[in-house]
Amino acid sequence: MLDQDPLFKNNILETIIDSAYEWIVVVDHEGIVRYMNKTYCEFLGEDPKKVIGKHVTKVIENTRMHKDVLQGKVEIADLQFIRGNYMIANRIPILNEGKVIGAVGTVIFRDTEQWKKMNSHIKALLHELNFYKKEWEEINGATYTLNDFAGTSAEVQKVKKHVKNIASGDLSVLIRGESGTGKELLAHSIHQLSERSGKPFIKLNCGAVPEHLFESELFGYSEGAFTGAKKGGKLGKFQLADGGTLFLDEIGDLPQSMQIKLLRVLQEKEVEPVGAVHTQKVNVRVIAATNRPLERLISENTFREDLFYRINVLQIQIPPLRERKEDIWPLAENFIRLNCAETGKRILSIDDDVKEAFLEYSWPGNARELKNFVEAAIQLTHSDRLSLDVFPDFLKEKLGINKKQLTLKEHIQETEKNVISYYLDTMDGDIMRVAKQLGIGKTNLYDKIKKYNIR
């Protein structure tokens, strides 16, 4: 008659559950743990007796057992990051007369060694996928689409509409905006939406190439063109982009010696590699971008007016983030989603005081600075919510959190320090450019850098 004994039945059931392939946890309608099988407790380092009565968030990393599942939502085969690995979790609501009274969760891979083998197999496949993805990106080059340009403001919608209108065709495009506003992202988007999307998208940062290498970088060189030249020569950016798009970032930093040569290529649609005796025809659409005032550079005779008109056939102006505050949270949420997908973390809520601080900040670094803020906060948080506490002190200082009361003189000095630091950062430490931008002498700028201990 043992099979009629409730205790006997309970022991059989518990033995079956403890030896099951999955880890199992049961919570009530408030998310309180009511049962967790032995192997799950062992993996988490929890005492099976003491775990009962704890809220599930205090027991399981990145859990969702207290979320949608308690609203009646079934979650099957969801990736969950637990103790350094991705696990596959199922979450099923427990119903009684149509009412949710709790939930049962299962996680597969009880045997961590077996998980490691499977994880290694998955990682090998991901490495192989990334290899082919990287190979394609090296050929095609464009990785962003217009969907990546997040925002809900009228300004963003206007920019997106303009991109769609000008993407088709071969006319040159000039994208203007402050550093960090997303100029390169729009260049990718224009290429992706154009008839050239199946052809290469090649990038060149005009501010990052030494002047003596510019010509060979843009136009390539033939074999024997100079000492150390590669056998067979080298293709330049224009030849690599043939049939596709060439993105010239920071066009305002293009050396004057190269401006006339670039103008000739754009007019004649042919390049002459260094050391070559013949020109080569190229079919390339040029997209340029800059955060510098080209009109002023023209008046200062540091940028050719005829080149400006050649690259400025179509123009896109991206407004800074401080002028479209309603885009701050759509952008932040997009960065949170992308970072969580990359790191395996889960952020479900953001404190109101964080949102308030973000809205009050001027974001001199625009979307790029916002992205860095969000990623730092996610990295430092140990829960599924973002609060002001998780931001490092230097970010809190930037956001104006817990800032001491300053005198008017101290406010002025702090503002001056921040402005100088910003321009030094965005202009890569070029003292002459920063001094010219701020309208002060080079010696005066050096004195201020020393005074404020700016590094």
Side-chain angles (χ1 to χ4, degrees):
M1 301 294 291
L2 285 177
D3 59 341
Q4 301 300 320
D5 186 346
L7 180 61
F8 175 72
K9 288 184 176 180
N10 186 64
N11 289 338
I12 290 177
L13 182 60
E14 188 169 338
T15 301
I16 292 172
I17 292 175
D18 278 339
S19 60
Y21 188 72
E22 298 91 354
W23 295 324
I24 299 173
V25 60
V26 178
V27 301
D28 63 17
H29 67 286
E30 294 181 340
I32 303 300
V33 176
R34 294 307 176 191
Y35 179 80
M36 180 176 285
N37 67 342
K38 182 179 178 182
T39 50
Y40 204 172
C41 289
E42 289 174 350
F43 175 74
L44 296 174
E46 295 282 350
D47 186 324
K49 295 179 181 178
K50 294 181 179 180
V51 77
I52 307 302
K54 290 184 178 180
H55 195 273
V56 68
T57 56
K58 304 294 184 183
V59 181
I60 304 173
E61 179 184 4
N62 295 318
T63 184
R64 287 179 53 79
M65 288 294 292
H66 62 304
K67 293 293 182 179
D68 293 347
V69 68
L70 293 183
Q71 304 300 319
K73 182 179 178 181
V74 176
E75 297 182 348
I76 301 295
D78 182 43
L79 279 179
Q80 183 174 344
F81 194 72
I82 306 177
R83 307 194 75 174
N85 282 309
Y86 286 100
M87 305 292 183
I88 299 175
N90 300 317
R91 307 178 189 94
I92 311 293
I94 300 173
L95 304 176
N96 182 36
E97 297 181 353
K99 182 180 179 182
V100 177
I101 61 171
V104 58
T106 62
V107 179
I108 69 170
F109 295 113
R110 182 192 67 179
D111 185 344
T112 54
E113 290 303 316
Q114 185 176 24
W115 164 250
K116 288 175 183 177
K117 290 178 182 178
M118 178 64 76
N119 198 28
S120 297
H121 178 64
I122 293 172
K123 285 180 179 178
L125 291 175
L126 288 174
H127 283 312
E128 185 176 357
L129 176 62
N130 288 333
F131 172 80
Y132 289 115
K133 181 181 177 183
K134 184 178 180 181
E135 187 176 53
W136 165 248
E137 288 175 355
E138 288 175 353
I139 296 172
N140 180 270
T143 54
Y144 301 110
T145 68
L146 201 54
N147 291 330
D148 295 308
F149 193 67
T152 59
S153 67
E155 291 88 346
V156 164
Q157 300 310 314
K158 182 179 178 181
V159 168
K160 287 187 173 184
K161 183 178 180 180
H162 195 30
V163 166
K164 293 174 182 177
N165 288 337
I166 70 176
S168 60
D170 293 325
L171 296 177
S172 299
V173 181
L174 178 62
I175 305 174
R176 311 184 74 166
E178 294 180 3
S179 179
T181 50
K183 297 186 293 295
E184 181 175 343
L185 192 154
L186 287 190
H188 285 241
S189 302
I190 293 170
H191 174 77
Q192 298 279 37
L193 291 170
S194 73
E195 289 81 1
R196 296 173 178 263
S197 59
K199 297 294 183 178
F201 177 83
I202 303 298
K203 300 173 287 186
L204 178 68
N205 187 324
C206 298
V209 181
E211 186 170 350
H212 67 283
L213 295 178
F214 243 110
E215 189 169 4
S216 61
E217 277 294 310
L218 273 178
F219 312 134
Y221 59 77
S222 60
E223 184 174 344
F226 49 82
T227 302
K230 290 182 180 180
K231 185 177 181 180
K234 176 188 174 183
L235 296 176
K237 300 297 185 184
F238 269 97
Q239 293 99 316
L240 292 171
D242 193 23
T245 304
L246 175 61
F247 175 50
L248 297 176
D249 199 9
E250 304 298 347
I251 189 73
D253 294 329
L254 188 69
Q256 287 182 281
S257 60
M258 288 302 303
Q259 292 177 22
I260 184 63
K261 295 180 180 181
L262 175 60
L263 177 63
R264 181 181 178 279
V265 173
L266 297 179
Q267 289 175 336
E268 306 298 330
K269 300 188 183 302
E270 60 183 23
V271 298
E272 184 177 338
V274 177
V277 294
H278 299 292
T279 59
Q280 300 175 9
K281 286 288 184 181
V282 288
N283 174 20
V284 174
R285 183 186 198 179
V286 170
I287 300 176
T290 186
N291 61 358
R292 302 188 66 186
L294 296 184
E295 292 84 356
R296 196 178 76 191
L297 298 183
I298 292 171
S299 67
E300 295 171 353
N301 294 319
T302 57
F303 197 86
R304 294 184 63 96
E305 187 173 15
D306 47 4
L307 177 59
F308 173 73
Y309 290 126
R310 177 61 64 173
I311 62 174
N312 191 36
V313 180
L314 299 170
Q315 184 178 131
I316 298 175
Q317 181 75 43
I318 307 177
L321 195 54
R322 63 181 173 275
E323 294 179 6
R324 44 188 179 95
K325 294 273 188 175
E326 59 266 49
D327 289 331
I328 291 174
W329 273 112
L331 274 169
E333 289 171 349
N334 187 50
F335 293 144
I336 290 170
R337 177 180 58 79
L338 292 174
N339 189 260
C340 287
E342 182 179 335
T343 63
K345 288 202 170 186
R346 194 183 295 274
I347 300 297
L348 301 177
S349 64
I350 302 157
D351 287 359
D352 289 339
D353 50 0
V354 175
K355 296 181 180 180
E356 184 178 342
F358 273 35
L359 290 173
E360 290 180 357
Y361 186 51
S362 62
W363 299 107
N366 293 291
R368 184 184 293 121
E369 185 180 18
L370 175 59
K371 182 174 185 287
N372 292 338
F373 268 57
V374 166
E375 290 179 349
I378 293 174
Q379 178 67 32
L380 294 171
T381 190
H382 297 291
S383 70
D384 59 6
R385 58 184 275 267
L386 288 185
S387 64
L388 288 177
D389 296 337
V390 304
F391 287 88
D393 290 340
F394 78 96
L395 292 184
K396 288 181 182 177
E397 184 179 343
K398 278 191 171 187
L399 292 172
I401 300 167
N402 299 329
K403 186 176 287 186
K404 64 179 183 178
Q405 295 296 317
L406 302 178
T407 64
L408 177 60
K409 182 179 179 181
E410 288 172 331
H411 273 297
I412 293 172
Q413 290 177 337
E414 184 174 297
T415 301
E416 188 174 53
K417 177 182 177 181
N418 291 338
V419 169
I420 292 172
S421 298
Y422 167 69
Y423 279 109
L424 284 170
D425 183 52
T426 57
M427 294 182 176
D428 299 321
D430 190 325
I431 296 296
M432 292 299 294
R433 283 180 59 195
V434 173
K436 187 178 293 186
Q437 177 70 31
L438 296 177
I440 61 176
K442 183 175 70 173
T443 302
N444 192 6
L445 177 59
Y446 274 122
D447 289 341
K448 291 181 183 295
I449 291 172
K450 184 177 180 180
K451 174 184 176 181
Y452 298 126
N453 194 28
I454 300 173
R455 300 181 184 275

